[in-house]
Amino acid sequence: MKLFTAYNRVLLITGSLGLLAIGYLFYHTLGNYLDRQIDNYLVEELLEVKDYAAKKENFPAHVAFEDLVIEYHRIPKLKRKRHFGDTVFYNAKKKLSETGRYLEEDLVMASETYRVKIIASKIAHIDQAKSIFLVIILPVFGLLLLLLLVSHYMIKRIWLPFRQLLINLKSFNLNQEQDFVQVPTSIAEFRELNDAIVDISQRVRSDYRQIKLFTENASHEMMTPIAVINAKLDTMLQSSDLDEEQSRNLADLYRATAKLTKLNQSLLLLVKIDNNLLNDRAQLNFKEMVAEKLVYFQEFTQRRNISVDTELETHALLMNRYLADILLDNLIGNAVRHNYEGGNIVVKLDRKSFSVSNTGIEGALDSTVVFERFYKSPSSEGMGLGLAIVKQIVELHQFRISYDYQGGRHNFVVSF
Amino acid sequence: MKILVVEDEELLRENIIDYLKSEGNVCDIAANFDAADEKIALYDYDCILLDLTLPDGDGLKLLQLLKKQDRGEGVIIITARGSVDQRIEGLALGADDYLVKPFHLSELSARVMAVVRRRWFSGNDLVVFNELSIDIKSKIVKVNAELISLTKKEFDLLVYFMSNRSKVISKSALVTHIWGDHADMADSFDFVYTHMKNLRRKLVDAGCKDYFHSIYGVGYKFADL
């Protein structure tokens, strides 16, 4: 629910309920007040009847009263004191039924007991009450509408900086060095929010920069010790009295060092992509690059009897050459590495996408984490950085990459 | 050959020097910018190994200095910073080669030999070892007078071994030399074995003595024992 809707809902509900309650109370009080007026009038008329009866020993005729209906009944004995009430009576003059107010009282005349009932029409008064009610309630209703309109406009206007803040937040990119844009506003709360966001974005950026710097420095610093290890291994290898076990150990050490080197290089590459250090792009003949890469991998595919099928359309891409090369290396390299003897690889390139599909030893990989750093299938000997690098490269060039597993084939698709 | 090693990391420097000396080279060391500057002013070298990140200065400045004086030394940059830009910058400034740490000493030795050959024997690029002779520029290999045809990888391997005579070269170094960044594709080492097997067979078939000696699966040595 939008803020405006929520706000209006409360306003409308309380407004309407309030209006109803006030209307009811007002109408009721007004009715009561008008009834009292009629009652007083009826009492005066009764007094006149009494006077008349006392003087003339008779009741005045019906016609003697304007707008009134008067009835006399003889009753056995005095019972009732003065009594007011609402009634519906037949107005003989107007020839229709009307609501009215009546007054009943028993009285004695010429030693007989009578009940006198005087009825006055309420129609005129009801009309009066309606007018008064409308005069009061209509402006109140109008005011409520006006309030709704004003609040609609105000909310839109007042929350404008907030919407801008939201837009800015959504477009915030940790990797872009562009600073968070301040939104001009005179509302203190929004200014505070603005400052808080600017502050937090700067802190996050600074922390992130520190982490990147750390990774870069750590990787660089590690290169020299690894170089020393490598050099020492090369020196030890020259020793003339090397026996078989020592040789095996040396071979293992070489392998471990090579792995460490590769890990370091991969981390450095990720940092470089993150830092936009490899941003010079050129129009590349991607088809040619793919074809060259396949020739390069031929040695490995032929040796393991892996068949390679290609469907390559000429397509030029604006990419960093170095990164495009790594992208191909990693995707095609994986397809070869994780394949089995006599397997198959299909490489396709058209104007919309580049895809590598291969048979593999492993079953489906977890597509939610397959591109995450250090994720690897249990049997993989790599470090799990290859596909993370691919994803970084793809994102840097605003492409998309997807993975799925169908019919025993791993499919990686880069959409341009 | 006379080589100057400009490297601030002592352990690495020692190993480089030991390796190069054992191949019959004369080595000088400079642990920092100033020492290197001084050595260069005093002596001539065949090749200079230059670390870019020195405690008291940028190695690239030293390179500029050398080129300004139009000296004949071959320069190989050795650095931990493997960025493409730096590589390009270094080569543009006149470095002959660029080696990223960590590297194998056999690789370094081969690069030094190549640089020196290019610099000093550019017209006559012939490497001879007993009955074996290799013309590196035109990629011609002869056993006695008989021409043998090698694949590109076999040729590279042979030159690599010829540049590291009587040394054990690890399979790890061979894989890196041939496949570079893609060394891990061949990490079963079977690929090296295949190429080595083919190379040896071709040479022996042509009447060459088998100078390759396998060292317990960790590497090979090229020597006339």
Side-chain angles (χ1 to χ4, degrees):
Chain A
M1 201 192 318
K2 281 198 165 182
L3 185 74
F4 179 64
T5 324
Y7 181 76
N8 264 2
R9 182 172 291 184
V10 174
L11 201 69
L12 267 176
I13 289 173
T14 50
S16 327
L17 284 178
L19 203 63
L20 276 175
I22 290 170
Y24 173 76
L25 278 174
F26 184 69
Y27 191 75
H28 199 70
T29 319
L30 196 65
N32 268 341
Y33 173 73
L34 290 171
D35 279 356
R36 290 296 85 71
Q37 267 193 326
I38 298 175
D39 289 355
N40 286 338
Y41 171 59
L42 287 172
V43 170
E44 272 172 35
E45 293 298 320
L46 183 66
L47 286 176
E48 270 182 43
V49 170
K50 275 183 180 172
D51 279 353
Y52 191 92
K55 278 183 202 157
K56 310 243 175 116
E57 290 278 300
N58 200 354
F59 287 114
H62 293 284
V63 286
F65 301 95
E66 274 178 47
D67 292 337
L68 286 181
V69 176
I70 194 153
E71 291 166 0
Y72 314 102
H73 302 280
R74 188 174 292 167
I75 46 168
K77 70 184 218 217
L78 272 179
K79 242 194 207 159
R80 236 181 171 166
K81 294 283 285 178
R82 189 173 289 179
H83 174 73
F84 295 100
D86 289 322
T87 183
V88 175
F89 70 103
Y90 183 74
N91 190 328
K93 276 183 212 158
K94 289 184 189 166
K95 292 190 171 65
L96 49 83
S97 288
E98 283 183 350
T99 52
R101 189 86 184 149
Y102 74 88
L103 167 62
E104 264 182 344
E105 195 170 282
D106 299 351
L107 57 87
V108 183
M109 186 183 68
S111 54
E112 295 268 14
T113 48
Y114 291 93
R115 172 163 294 174
V116 179
K117 186 177 185 182
I118 308 173
I119 305 167
S121 170
K122 274 172 82 171
I123 292 293
H125 285 96
I126 287 173
D127 285 349
Q128 209 179 340
K130 271 182 187 161
S131 305
I132 295 172
F133 181 73
L134 285 179
V135 163
I136 303 288
I137 289 301
L138 274 181
V140 170
F141 188 69
L143 197 68
L144 192 72
L145 274 179
L146 191 71
L147 205 67
L148 276 173
L149 272 171
V150 167
S151 71
H152 176 84
Y153 174 73
M154 283 296 276
I155 282 182
K156 276 216 158 151
R157 226 185 88 88
I158 288 179
W159 289 86
L160 212 64
F162 184 77
R163 299 210 132 275
Q164 189 56 46
L165 270 172
L166 272 185
I167 293 169
N168 289 357
L169 264 181
K170 278 179 193 162
S171 64
F172 177 70
N173 183 345
L174 202 52
N175 273 325
Q176 275 165 11
E177 280 303 305
Q178 185 187 341
D179 261 335
F180 196 85
V181 196
Q182 279 265 6
V183 177
T185 170
S186 56
I187 313 266
E189 283 85 350
F190 288 148
R191 233 187 357 249
E192 229 171 284
L193 181 66
N194 208 338
D195 291 345
I197 289 172
V198 169
D199 185 53
I200 209 166
S201 72
Q202 273 165 0
R203 224 168 335 141
V204 164
R205 212 187 282 276
S206 139
D207 285 356
Y208 187 61
R209 213 176 287 136
Q210 297 266 319
I211 289 172
K212 283 199 287 191
L213 200 66
F214 173 80
T215 315
E216 192 181 358
N217 285 341
S219 303
H220 271 143
E221 288 305 315
M222 246 185 274
M223 283 305 189
T224 303
I226 294 174
V228 172
I229 294 172
N230 241 332
K232 288 275 173 200
L233 288 173
D234 287 342
T235 309
M236 279 167 78
L237 193 61
Q238 309 310 325
S239 152
S240 53
D241 48 1
L242 218 54
D243 65 25
E244 194 176 345
E245 200 194 334
Q246 287 167 335
S247 300
R248 236 194 343 261
N249 287 341
L250 273 181
D252 288 345
L253 283 170
Y254 269 122
R255 219 182 290 247
T257 317
K259 212 165 169 174
L260 201 55
T261 308
K262 182 85 186 163
L263 170 68
N264 240 343
Q265 283 166 347
S266 300
L267 284 176
L268 272 173
L269 180 63
L270 278 171
V271 171
K272 271 181 209 155
I273 300 173
D274 271 355
N275 283 341
N276 269 336
L277 290 177
L278 300 162
N279 226 356
D280 48 324
R281 297 181 191 182
Q283 286 288 343
L284 305 179
N285 183 341
F286 206 62
K287 181 191 174 186
E288 202 173 273
M289 287 187 77
V290 173
E292 274 171 20
K293 197 51 77 182
L294 288 173
V295 170
Y296 177 87
F297 280 109
Q298 216 169 33
E299 182 182 5
F300 303 102
T301 50
Q302 277 174 356
R303 204 186 148 88
R304 294 169 63 199
N305 291 320
I306 297 169
S307 57
V308 180
D309 300 316
T310 56
E311 275 173 45
L312 305 179
E313 276 178 36
T314 304
H315 189 49
L317 281 179
L318 187 66
M319 276 189 90
N320 178 285
R321 177 173 289 278
Y322 178 62
L323 293 180
D325 193 60
I326 290 173
L327 178 86
L328 291 178
D329 268 345
N330 289 0
L331 283 178
I332 300 174
N334 274 350
V336 177
R337 202 177 285 123
H338 302 298
N339 224 317
Y340 47 71
E341 181 94 24
N344 173 262
I345 298 173
V346 177
V347 182
K348 282 185 196 168
L349 171 70
D350 56 39
R351 298 168 61 82
K352 284 191 188 124
S353 64
F354 169 70
S355 68
V356 179
S357 156
N358 66 283
T359 53
I361 320 157
E362 287 287 321
L365 303 169
D366 185 347
S367 62
T368 53
V369 292
V370 71
F371 296 109
E372 281 188 10
R373 293 177 189 191
F374 296 107
Y375 166 82
K376 55 177 189 172
S377 59
S379 68
S380 171
E381 286 201 359
M383 278 139 340
L385 283 176
L387 286 175
I389 289 172
V390 166
K391 184 161 185 259
Q392 290 287 95
I393 294 173
V394 163
E395 281 178 357
L396 183 74
H397 293 88
Q398 269 102 41
F399 302 153
R400 266 162 295 124
I401 185 154
S402 63
Y403 164 79
D404 69 272
Y405 182 77
Q406 265 178 358
R409 299 184 76 93
H410 300 275
N411 304 305
F412 288 90
V413 181
V414 179
S415 315
F416 308 134
Chain B
M1 276 187 294
K2 201 170 172 199
I3 301 165
L4 175 64
V5 181
V6 186
E7 164 66 61
D8 60 321
E9 178 64 38
E10 193 191 341
L11 285 170
L12 187 60
R13 193 174 61 226
E14 301 287 301
N15 276 284
I16 291 172
I17 285 166
D18 286 348
Y19 195 90
L20 293 175
K21 272 185 179 164
S22 69
E23 293 205 316
N25 300 301
V26 178
C27 292
D28 260 0
I29 52 171
N32 53 47
F33 188 93
D34 289 340
D37 197 22
E38 200 182 312
K39 295 266 186 205
I40 290 167
L42 289 173
Y43 309 104
D44 287 327
Y45 297 96
D46 294 308
C47 186
I48 297 173
L49 304 180
L50 182 61
D51 187 358
L52 287 188
T53 44
L54 296 168
D56 56 344
D58 186 356
L60 282 177
K61 285 218 180 82
L62 218 53
L63 180 60
Q64 279 169 319
L65 213 72
L66 277 167
K67 293 301 145 186
K68 212 179 276 174
Q69 294 170 13
D70 201 19
R71 309 249 303 221
E73 281 98 341
V75 178
I76 297 175
I77 292 172
I78 44 175
T79 177
R81 311 233 157 201
S83 90
V84 192
D85 290 347
Q86 269 195 334
R87 191 188 295 245
I88 291 166
E89 195 186 349
L91 295 177
L93 280 172
D96 295 78
D97 211 341
Y98 195 102
L99 203 51
V100 180
K101 288 180 192 172
F103 48 79
H104 289 283
L105 293 178
S106 48
E107 183 69 37
L108 178 69
S109 173
R111 302 274 185 112
V112 170
M113 296 281 272
V115 165
V116 171
R117 266 198 312 267
R118 274 207 300 273
R119 288 231 153 234
W120 305 100
F121 313 104
S122 47
N124 180 24
D125 208 356
L126 201 67
V127 182
V128 180
F129 185 77
N130 297 347
E131 68 268 39
L132 197 60
S133 74
I134 308 172
D135 186 335
I136 294 183
K137 217 171 178 187
S138 48
K139 301 204 186 312
I140 292 170
V141 181
K142 283 181 187 167
V143 175
N144 295 320
E146 190 188 342
L147 217 82
I148 53 172
S149 85
L150 298 177
T151 65
K152 186 183 175 297
K153 291 203 170 82
E154 288 159 2
F155 181 81
D156 284 348
L157 278 172
L158 185 58
V159 174
Y160 194 27
F161 276 103
M162 295 282 268
S163 307
N164 287 280
R165 278 173 229 174
S166 307
K167 292 280 180 209
V168 182
I169 301 181
S170 66
K171 279 187 179 173
S172 180
L174 289 173
V175 168
T176 313
H177 180 73
I178 297 178
W179 286 284
D181 285 343
H182 307 285
D184 62 323
M185 280 304 299
D187 76 353
S188 64
F189 288 157
D190 288 351
F191 285 84
V192 180
Y193 175 75
T194 312
H195 287 293
M196 286 300 296
K197 197 176 72 183
N198 292 340
L199 173 61
R200 282 165 91 171
R201 202 197 59 233
K202 282 181 185 175
L203 291 175
V204 171
D205 284 355
C208 183
K209 189 178 163 193
D210 188 7
Y211 297 116
F212 292 96
H213 307 276
S214 176
I215 311 291
Y216 300 116
V218 64
Y220 296 91
K221 185 178 187 171
F222 183 85
D224 188 9
L225 296 178

